[in-house]
Amino acid sequence: MRENMLGVWRRSAPRARIAVVVVALAVAGTLAWWVWWRGAPPSDAQAPPTRTVAASLETLEQTVSTSGTLTPLVHETAVFDVAGTVTSVLVAAGDTVTAGQALATVGTLQLDADLLLAQADLAQARAEEAEARADDDGTAAAQARIDALAAQVEVAAAAADDARAALDGATLVAPVAGLVTTADLEVGDVVTAGSGATNGSGAAPDGAATLTSTTTATSTGFTVVGTDAWRVDATVGESDVALLAVGDQVEITSDDLAATVFGTVAEIGLVSSSTSGTAAYPVTVAVTGTSDDLHDGIAVDVEIVHERRTDVLTVPSAAITTGDDGTTTVTRLDADGTQVETTVETGATSGDLTEITSGLAEGDEVVVRVFTGGAGGGQQMFEGFPEGFEGGLPEGFPEDFDPSQMGGPGGQGGAAPGGRNG
């Protein structure tokens, strides 16, 4: 029979031989691991590594996290206050301007004529008033004529002033110093007073005032934003807004910013908005300092520090254990290196640090377990299986055996102290 089996083996295909060998190795390796896992005694040498950390005084912060949009504090739009045809455009988007700098001009032919006519009317009204005063005979009728002509002089003077202002308005100037972000006028555009413009001779739509704090889709002119004063518009949930106060420090970060930018809470809104049934309150943050990375519309993450305490005794949170009865303990090292379980009382948590309010003193050494995922004999045994092994568990394994206990690929990356789980 042995010769028959040997003949069958020799006549079998190479792939079949390889498959048989792989399965045999897999079964043997799995059974060896099972025997080792069931029989290996606990060993102190296999306990997870630890390190010691001294209790130290730190600064703890309590923060509220939110997000917002960066906006320049100065954001002005300038459009012509007079009607006319654009004759020159003196700046372009991206230019830096000073307050009062000329941006564009319109033709003044009609404006000059209007001013001359208004000045002529004013001169005529003054001449008639002067003549009436010269002919005053002291009667009530004469005085009434003088009063009427004096009123006409005032009306004519106001008209002349308006005509002069209109002529001055033929040159559009920057309302504030800053960066020109929009320049929508071209030579030949026709503008109407206080509005945008149309190309050629078409009528322009009705517009807003000459200067507004925000741009509109119908305004055609220039937008100037300040580059040295910024704010962040954010919202905070109802549960967090009560923690905040004007003046709280703020840390601002973004993928678009090279470094953290700082600010303070400038305003907290009293009226909430509702998104999906959740109340949110507007919070305005004034950015302190300047940065070349600041640009209109950048989305930023905001950390508002509503509480900061210094000289707080802390230990790593990983050093603290809470029992079933709620007792909180740490493992403290005595002067001779003996480990002593010590009851402590804890306070606030910040990051990976926890405040200790009693039970320890500054400098006390506590033990912190170091968890190194992926280590242990189980992982090493699993890594010894044939590559690509996908078969089920061999016969003889317990029904409740959990392969994840083995760690490594397909497992949970680690074994319990002493090579056992459970």
Side-chain angles (χ1 to χ4, degrees), residues 1 6 49 78 81 95 128 139 164-165 232 257 289 298 308 326 332 338 344-345 363 366 370 375 390 398:
M1 178 176 295
L6 182 61
D81 198 23
D95 290 348
E128 291 178 356
T139 63
R164 169 59 66 184
V232 174
L257 300 177
I298 290 180
R308 177 183 283 115
R332 179 176 56 83
T338 304
V344 296
E345 293 184 1
V366 297
V370 180
E390 297 179 350

Side-chain angles (χ1 to χ4, degrees), residues 244-319:
L244 307 184
V246 172
D248 284 347
Q249 294 187 1
V250 180
E251 296 180 2
I252 304 165
T253 57
S254 172
D255 292 340
D256 296 316
L257 300 177
T260 300
V261 177
F262 299 92
T264 58
V265 174
E267 184 178 356
I268 302 174
L270 300 178
V271 179
S272 67
S273 59
S274 179
T275 303
S276 301
T278 302
Y281 290 82
V283 174
T284 301
V285 176
V287 178
T288 56
T290 59
S291 172
D292 294 336
D293 295 332
L294 303 183
H295 299 288
D296 189 12
I298 290 180
V300 295
D301 295 320
V302 176
E303 290 284 339
I304 304 174
V305 181
H306 61 84
E307 181 182 353
R308 177 183 283 115
R309 292 183 294 141
T310 59
D311 296 334
V312 178
L313 185 65
T314 65
V315 298
S317 300

Side-chain angles (χ1 to χ4, degrees), residues 62-67 235-237 240 244 301-306:
Q62 298 295 320
T63 64
V64 170
S65 300
T66 184
S67 60
T235 57
V236 173
D240 291 328
L244 307 184
D301 295 320
V302 176
E303 290 284 339
I304 304 174
V305 181
H306 61 84

Side-chain angles (χ1 to χ4, degrees), residues 94-115:
D95 290 348
T96 300
V97 297
T98 58
Q101 180 177 335
L103 304 176
T105 62
V106 294
T108 62
L109 184 61
Q110 182 62 51
L111 298 174
D112 289 333
D114 292 341
L115 177 58

